[in-house]
Structure formats: C-alpha cells, structure tokens
Amino acid sequence: MDPNVVLMDVFTRTVEMHKIHTHPLTSRHTRVMRWISWKPPDWPWCSLNTDGAHNREGISTAGGLIRDHMDRWLSGFGMMIGSCSVTVAELWGLYQGLQLAWNSGIRKIKVEIDSRCVLQLVTKPTLEINHYAPLIRAIKDYLKMDWQVSISHIYREANFAADYMASRAFSIPLGLTIYHTPPLGISPFLFKDAYGVAHSRSVVL
C-alpha cells in the first residue's frame, strides 16, 4: 500500500477520534449521556446508511442499505474491496450507496454516515494532492446530479444496520453484491431500528 495513503488515513482518523473521544485539550467541554437511535426519514424521502469495515489482515469492505419512510427495505449492498484503508472503504460505501439509490430511481435521499472524516472529505473542497481525490470527485458528481440529497453524520449507535452490512461483506466474493431483499442476519438490526431501540452514548455538548 502507498505509504502516503497510510499516512493520510492515520491523520484523518486521528482527527476524527480527537473530536469524538475525551482529550485533555477538550476537557473543558461538558460530556452528557444521550440515547441514540436510528430515525426514518420524512415522507417522501428515503434513507441511505453506509459504512466501511477493516480487519486485522488489512482487508476492507463496505456496505449499506436503503429504506423508505415506513422503515421498509428498498435495497442494500455489500462490497468486498480487498486491501485498502478504512477511510477508503467508507468512501467506497458512500459511492456505491449513492449509485444504488440513483439507479433505483430514488430522487429524494437522506444519507447518513458515522465518519466525520468522510463527511468533511465529500463536503469540503478537494485537494488534488489528496490520494482519495478521484473517489471523492466521483461522490461529489453524484451529489450534484438532478436529485435532492442531504448528507449528515450520525453516531455509530444509529448506524448498526449499515455496520452489519459492511461486516457481512467479509464473507462475499470480491466485488459488489446487491440485495433486493434483506440478507440473512440483518433482521434483528432492522427490527430494533423500526421500533426505535436506543443505545446510550457519552457525547460532548
């Protein structure tokens, strides 16, 4: 793997973790307990949740799912990527999710990701020296197409279904797999989301 890519990934992940977890420089901020749950979009919007995963062997995957305002499954995907950083995997998840939503004819999509790093990469100006630049440009091209897209950060506790889709992709062949119906094993996560089951998290105000 290109050492520059590794260095960039370490830097961006460090920035993200610094913002999320307690750090001496941010100790002046108040931390409170919040109950976090996934919430469906308002009609007539659909919701896209994506995520990336990375194992100890250096293999990365991505996954995601699309649901409507009634929590109904519309489509999902898993992607076995191979050797890459977790940030690249999360970018691939976002790209494949947007592509799937567009090709499914959805024109109002609420995108939710649990990486602040990726959110900044796709919503801020892209530096040409950034090793993620081609993939980021491809994502931004989708964001600028003729549809309504909102993209926001959510906590991991509200993104467990997408996390499952990404983790499940470690068991699929190399490449992209589309799921027109919910795959085996995701039902508990869909059930919890549908009923608004919340998980506790300490957050900085």
Side-chain angles (χ1 to χ4, degrees), residues 3-154:
N4 291 322
V5 175
V6 175
L7 183 62
M8 174 64 78
D9 185 58
V10 170
F11 172 75
T12 52
R13 298 301 292 183
T14 300
V15 171
E16 180 179 0
M17 295 301 291
H18 172 78
K19 293 179 179 179
I20 296 175
H21 296 289
T22 303
H23 187 279
L25 295 178
T26 59
S27 59
R28 65 184 181 275
H29 295 298
T30 302
R31 297 185 70 86
V32 298
M33 192 65 68
R34 289 281 188 265
W35 290 97
I36 309 299
S37 63
W38 181 79
K39 295 176 176 58
D42 295 329
W43 184 88
W45 289 71
C46 294
S47 177
L48 166 65
N49 290 79
T50 67
D51 202 4
H54 187 76
N55 67 16
R56 294 179 179 178
E57 288 71 40
I59 303 301
S60 293
T61 61
L65 65 160
I66 303 172
R67 290 169 283 186
D68 66 11
H69 67 288
M70 297 290 288
D71 309 317
R72 292 175 297 201
W73 178 279
L74 299 180
S75 193
F77 71 94
M79 184 181 185
M80 167 58 80
I81 302 170
S83 179
C84 74
S85 69
V86 67
T87 299
V88 172
E90 289 168 341
L91 286 167
W92 270 114
L94 179 55
Y95 173 79
Q96 295 292 359
L98 289 169
Q99 184 178 67
L100 179 60
W102 175 266
N103 291 342
S104 299
I106 296 169
R107 294 300 178 262
K108 294 179 184 289
I109 189 74
K110 176 184 176 184
V111 183
E112 297 176 324
I113 55 178
D114 61 19
S115 171
R116 295 184 189 275
C117 167
V118 169
L119 181 63
Q120 291 185 354
L121 286 173
V122 301
T123 57
K124 304 296 183 182
T126 304
L127 296 176
E128 291 303 315
I129 60 172
N130 190 321
H131 291 275
Y132 313 140
L135 185 52
I136 293 171
R137 283 197 299 270
I139 291 170
K140 288 183 174 181
D141 286 343
Y142 267 110
L143 296 177
K144 291 185 287 189
M145 293 177 72
D146 188 21
W147 60 342
Q148 291 180 261
V149 184
S150 72
I151 180 168
S152 61
H153 172 266
I154 58 170

